[in-house]
Amino acid sequence: MINQTEQMTYRLSNLDIQQQRVSYQMSTKEVLDEGSDNSVLYSRIIHIDDKVRTFEGIKDQIERTTVQNEAADTSMASIKDILETKVKQALILANTSTTSQEGRTAIAVSMAGFRENLLQLANTQVEGEYVFAGSNSSVKPFEKDANGKITYLGDSQLRKVAIEEGSYRERGITGFDMMTY
């Protein structure tokens, strides 16, 4: 009789443990309470969770790259407009015989303003990163010294973005390539 009571208590204890596991699974939507419940399934879950986190990180990188590329495209469009329209018009106007000395001085002041606009556009920043700096986006790509000389401090290497696990593509454009347009 004592043996049967112990067996019944043992079985009830096992059923109680299974009930707790089922209650946990139903309330949390988790299949396993502990990894030791089913080690094969647990390792699969960990592997899948790792893959999900990896692809979420890649998705975030691609979204950030998209924002940076859009900012670079906008800056390049503005640079192209300044160079092809505004500067060209000012130079044509300055080259005519009807333009007075005061007019040429005003055009020179406008050209200095265009130069400053180009410098600001060349140093475009998105989320704290310089878009045209090359591989090291923390470096301000174009610096102007006290004499007004502008120097490119970036490099000619493009940054890479993960597009898939183990697969990378170059992104963006360097300041050197941008200014030699």
Side-chain angles (χ1 to χ4, degrees), residues 4-5 13 20 28 37 46 68 72 76 88 100 114 118 154 157 159-161 164 174-177:
Q4 284 182 339
T5 305
S13 173
Q20 287 176 353
T28 63
D37 293 342
I46 289 175
Q68 289 176 342
M76 285 300 298
K88 195 181 279 187
S100 66
F114 294 150
L118 290 172
Q157 304 291 319
R159 294 191 64 195
K160 295 186 183 224
V161 63
E164 183 176 314
T174 66
F176 182 76
D177 291 338

Side-chain angles (χ1 to χ4, degrees), residues 54-181:
T54 299
F55 285 110
E56 284 174 348
I58 289 172
K59 179 184 171 217
D60 289 344
Q61 282 185 358
I62 290 172
E63 288 171 352
R64 288 183 67 207
T65 299
T66 301
V67 169
Q68 289 176 342
N69 285 344
E70 288 171 356
D73 290 345
T74 302
S75 294
M76 285 300 298
S78 297
I79 288 170
K80 183 179 177 184
D81 180 53
I82 290 171
L83 292 175
E84 290 184 350
T85 307
K86 295 176 181 176
V87 171
K88 195 181 279 187
Q89 287 173 353
L91 290 174
I92 289 170
L93 185 62
N95 197 27
T96 63
S97 61
T98 59
T99 304
S100 66
Q101 182 59 35
E102 293 84 24
R104 285 192 286 275
T105 303
I107 291 171
V109 170
S110 294
M111 295 295 273
F114 294 150
R115 181 179 180 195
E116 288 302 314
N117 287 345
L118 290 172
L119 181 62
Q120 288 175 357
L121 289 167
N123 286 328
T124 297
Q125 244 183 328
V126 176
E127 296 178 352
E129 294 183 357
Y130 290 99
V131 177
F132 302 115
S135 63
N136 187 358
S137 62
S138 64
V139 173
K140 189 174 184 179
F142 293 94
E143 276 291 330
K144 185 165 101 172
D145 65 14
N147 297 327
K149 181 181 176 188
I150 297 174
T151 306
Y152 180 61
L153 302 175
D155 59 28
S156 62
Q157 304 291 319
L158 291 176
R159 294 191 64 195
K160 295 186 183 224
V161 63
I163 58 167
E164 183 176 314
E165 190 174 6
S167 182
Y168 299 88
R169 296 289 181 264
E170 291 181 336
R171 71 171 176 98
I173 181 174
T174 66
F176 182 76
D177 291 338
M178 173 191 63
M179 285 305 186
T180 57
Y181 158 77

